[in-house]
Amino acid sequence: HKTTDDPNVAPLARSKNWWRADLAAYMLTDRLSLQYAVSASCFALRAHPWFREATVLQLHNLHGGWFAHTSLPLLARTRPTVWRLADMGPRTGHCSYSFECERWQTGCGSCPHLDGYPRLRHDLSAVNWRIKDVVYRHSPMTIVAPSNWLASLARKSPLLNRFPGNVRKDLLEAL
């Protein structure tokens, strides 16, 4: 939601109809525990003038219901894409922080933290992990980590280590 008059800020959902579609998709995917799999306006992002003029797509924190990671193949094949990791979420089937759980290394499932942010109503962590696997496989991106710790986890991740040589803390300065 845009809360400023700044002309350099624009919402993804550029009309009430897009906003309604995004809200309906969020409510459905939340109820089904298909974490942020659909956000209609993300698939229309390529038509936005800023996207058409952009030379690079920079991503940051993608969870929260406002962005669908399933749109990444469409977007990342259109513009060079750099994703600055904000937490552990991109490498798991559910968790922003996995605590002691290491199931993210083998595909998640039997999640011990369903109530952790972002919560899941049902344990579809393995399904969400597999969706990310397919999405990332078709999304040419550069992954940037803001810390050595997060970069190390990304390199160990079966989901993120497919971007060889791209998980680099030193690239952060270029952004």
Side-chain angles (χ1 to χ4, degrees):
H1 300 285
K2 183 174 176 172
T3 59
T4 177
D5 292 331
D6 187 336
N8 296 310
V9 176
L12 286 176
R14 294 179 306 279
S15 72
K16 286 189 179 189
N17 288 337
W18 280 114
W19 184 85
R20 286 183 188 114
D22 285 348
L23 180 60
Y26 172 79
M27 291 172 63
L28 178 64
T29 56
D30 180 60
R31 190 169 293 123
L32 297 174
S33 293
L34 295 172
Q35 202 168 51
Y36 315 131
V38 179
S39 180
S41 61
C42 291
F43 292 94
L45 188 57
R46 291 188 326 163
H48 194 288
W50 290 350
F51 187 86
R52 289 196 314 263
E53 296 170 11
T55 55
V56 174
L57 175 62
Q58 181 184 341
L59 306 170
H60 181 54
N61 189 352
L62 300 188
H63 58 74
W66 62 274
F67 188 88
H69 56 277
T70 54
S71 67
L72 285 174
L74 176 70
L75 300 173
R77 283 195 230 134
T78 308
R79 294 286 180 274
T81 301
V82 177
W83 188 357
R84 182 200 178 274
L85 301 178
D87 55 33
M88 295 179 172
R91 68 176 179 79
T92 74
H94 161 247
C95 303
S96 293
Y97 186 78
S98 62
F99 298 96
E100 78 293 341
C101 180
E102 296 190 2
R103 290 183 178 93
W104 55 270
Q105 295 178 15
T106 57
C108 287
S110 300
C111 183
H113 302 294
L114 292 178
D115 288 334
Y117 180 80
R119 72 165 175 76
L120 286 182
R121 294 173 189 252
H122 314 284
D123 188 3
L124 267 77
S125 60
V127 171
N128 289 324
W129 193 96
R130 286 193 299 275
I131 290 170
K132 287 179 182 180
D133 186 37
V134 171
V135 165
Y136 297 171
R137 192 175 312 128
H138 299 308
S139 303
M141 297 184 288
T142 298
I143 304 295
V144 178
S147 69
N148 290 329
W149 170 74
L150 205 49
S152 172
L153 291 174
R155 282 188 209 100
K156 294 175 187 173
S157 167
L159 293 176
L160 298 178
N161 71 7
R162 70 186 72 229
F163 305 103
N166 289 339
V167 180
R168 297 182 36 206
K169 182 181 182 247
D170 59 309
L171 285 178
L172 186 60
E173 284 78 40
L175 300 176

